[in-house]
Every structure is written in structure tokens, then in C-alpha cells.
Amino acid sequence: HLVESGGGLVQAGGSLRLSCTASGSIVAINSMGWYRQAPGEERAFVASITTGGRSNYADSVKGRFTISRDNARNTMTVYLQMNSLKPEDTDVYYCAADTIRRSWGQGTQVTVSS
């Protein structure tokens, strides 16, 4: 079960931080990440982080976005710190958790105004 928070409206150049908390069978999670999707388009990779701490980013966000994670006893939370936001970053952002299959969060809207 994934619960997201942190989306909203921000001006270009501003920052937002997204959060996603996984609960339940977190020991089976290999990695967590973020994807984005515009209306009528396919969901696209943004960033991911493994349970070992290895991170990966889409070229379009390298140097601007940072993914991190925090493990508690029964939950795992992944964060996406988004800096220097651009209008083209506007999308619905989805959290994903990979076990033997991928689970998705409900999505959170990020809108960057020019």
C-alpha cells in the first residue's frame, strides 16, 4: 500500500518535495521510484532508489531532483526533492514500489507556472 503526498502549485524556479510511504510487506521491496504522466501520454521514469541506496535519474531531472529514502520498522518512505522546477515538469507524479511486481500510488499533481 502506497500513500503519496506533497504535490501542488509552484512558480518556475521553485521547489517541491514529494513523499511516498509504503506499508505492509516492505521487506519484499527491491526498489522504489517516481514516474510522471501527462494526459494522453505514457508514464515516464523520473527517478528510483534501491534498498541498497543506489539511485538513478532520468536525464531531464539530473542535477535538479534528488531521491532519498527512509526506513522505519514497518514502513519505507521515499522522497523526491524537486528543485529548479520548470513548467515542463508539470505532470501527475506516481510513486512505484517494485517487489515481484510493481505497485503504484494514487498519483499527485505537480503544476509549475511560468
Side-chain angles (χ1 to χ4, degrees):
H1 183 59
L2 302 176
V3 178
E4 302 175 21
S5 63
L9 172 65
V10 65
Q11 289 188 332
S15 298
L16 284 173
R17 190 175 82 154
L18 306 183
S19 300
C20 174
T21 298
S23 58
S25 301
I26 63 169
V27 294
I29 295 176
N30 300 312
S31 66
M32 293 183 68
W34 293 93
Y35 291 72
R36 57 194 287 183
Q37 188 172 26
E41 297 187 9
E42 293 187 356
R43 203 164 289 186
F45 172 76
V46 176
S48 65
I49 187 166
T50 68
T51 52
R54 183 173 181 176
S55 59
N56 192 26
Y57 297 92
D59 288 343
S60 61
V61 306
K62 284 180 180 177
R64 300 189 299 122
F65 292 9
T66 302
I67 191 168
S68 60
R69 62 176 177 80
D70 182 35
N71 290 1
R73 181 174 180 179
N74 295 312
T75 62
M76 182 182 297
T77 299
V78 63
Y79 304 96
L80 186 67
Q81 178 67 42
M82 304 186 294
N83 298 329
S84 302
L85 282 162
K86 306 175 182 179
E88 51 263 42
D89 293 320
T90 296
D91 265 331
V92 178
Y93 284 72
Y94 293 90
C95 174
D98 290 340
T99 57
I100 59 173
R101 63 181 182 89
R102 176 165 291 165
S103 299
W104 295 100
Q106 78 278 12
T108 185
Q109 177 70 48
V110 171
T111 303
V112 185
S113 63
S114 57

